[in-house]
Amino acid sequence: MRRFLIDTDTASDDAVALLMALRSPDVHVEAITVVAGNVPLEPAVQNALYTVELCGKQTPVHAGLAKPILRDLEDGRHVHGYDGMGDIGLDLTGRTPAEGHAVDVIIDTICSSPGEITLVTLGPLSNVAVALLKEPRLAECVKECVVMGGCCVLPGNITPLAEFNIYVDPEAAKIVFESGMPLVLVGWEESITSGFITMEESAKLEAIGTKYSEFAVGIQRTLIDYLEKSTGMIGYDLPDPLAMAVALDASITTLERKRVDVIAGDGPARGQTVVDVWGVEGQPPNVDVAVKVSAEKFQTMLAELLKE
Ligand code: RIB
Ligand code: CA
């Protein structure tokens, strides 16, 4: 079994990514650690617990940082719904997270099995950055860290230059990107191209007819409304599931090794991921950037994992 640890700001697309990992027959999810992002920490924890229960698993869910390192949280409830899960009336209260802070769980789980554990991050990098500050050996102990975040080519989704996960806690992202950790980056541009689900494709997923497909499609309701109103696009993007698909099977993408730096601080470039495409700065590359993820392979994998 491959061993994963997933750090998530659980909202609608995170939940689908969690479901994919939890239902992958050759993956054991050691723990899920939660960070504030798309929604505040408490609903994010509840959303993760609900998803684990839906999948019939006992995977421990640990709460982490309730805000970015230096900033107040700017959440994405206007995108994913007030409850983060499309506001479709799911019972998202009353479940109990496991004991132990997410930061300690990340350190203890990964550093007690050097080279064994894949870390997949689906939200702001606050938990991972604090874990690195507390235990820098984390960077060499993790097998690899697959990050949903950044925009390497196209404009961002939160500012013209930044993607949400990096923008929300750019100082954390800078710490992670400069840590020496083996990083795979699945950026926003791949989400909106290879990770985009049209309504026709969505109907096919829903027609699989399991509780998993009903859940995965149903919780995208507010995202569909938001995208249509704000961009005119009909359908929805699945950034976190796309990153999870790359973590599950890297052969669905091409990886290009590049230098990627994060702009911390305030100002118009806050949270930008600057990719040195031609290596003109002469800095050592630090990230494998996913380019041209196969939309077909992604959707095939997703559909398979939504079956009974
Ligand atoms: O920008 C994409 C990120 O924000 C993902 O983490 C996803 O959950 C979204 O809302
Ligand atoms: Ca997320």
Side-chain angles (χ1 to χ4, degrees), residues 45 50 52 61 126 135 140 148 195 199 228 232 236 251 253 271 302:
V45 167
Y50 182 95
V52 169
V61 173
S126 323
E135 179 46 275
E140 64 204 49
M148 190 287 126
M199 293 314 289
E228 184 174 358
Y236 50 92
S251 76
T253 191
L302 175 60

Side-chain angles (χ1 to χ4, degrees), residues 68-141:
I69 298 176
L70 297 179
R71 303 162 180 278
D72 291 334
L73 175 66
E74 295 176 48
D75 67 37
R77 282 179 144 165
H78 59 295
V79 179
H80 298 277
Y82 190 77
D83 67 9
M85 302 283 261
D87 292 337
I88 57 172
L90 297 177
D91 179 10
L92 300 166
T93 55
R95 293 175 181 83
T96 309
E99 282 183 17
H101 193 281
V103 166
D104 296 316
V105 171
I106 292 170
I107 295 169
D108 294 346
T109 309
I110 293 175
C111 292
S112 62
S113 297
E116 288 285 316
I117 298 184
T118 298
L119 174 61
V120 185
T121 71
L122 308 175
L125 289 160
S126 323
N127 282 343
V128 181
V130 174
L132 278 163
L133 292 175
K134 191 170 179 191
E135 179 46 275
R137 271 194 329 116
L138 178 63
E140 64 204 49
C141 288

Side-chain angles (χ1 to χ4, degrees), residues 236-295:
Y236 50 92
D237 56 289
L238 290 177
D240 294 340
L242 193 73
M244 186 59 75
V246 170
L248 291 169
D249 181 4
S251 76
I252 72 165
T253 191
T254 300
L255 297 174
E256 290 186 357
R257 187 135 188 89
K258 301 288 180 197
R259 178 75 198 183
V260 182
D261 288 301
V262 176
I263 307 289
D266 294 308
R270 167 181 162 183
Q272 184 180 3
T273 37
V274 180
V275 183
D276 189 353
V277 176
W278 287 358
V280 291
E281 302 265 17
Q283 295 300 313
N286 56 342
V287 174
D288 285 315
V289 179
V291 293
K292 300 194 186 91
V293 185
S294 164

Side-chain angles (χ1 to χ4, degrees), residues 7-11 13-14 38 80 121-124 148 164-165 239-240:
D7 190 72
T8 162
D9 57 335
T10 316
D13 67 315
D14 300 70
N38 287 162
H80 298 277
T121 71
L122 308 175
M148 190 287 126
F164 178 88
N165 287 344
D240 294 340

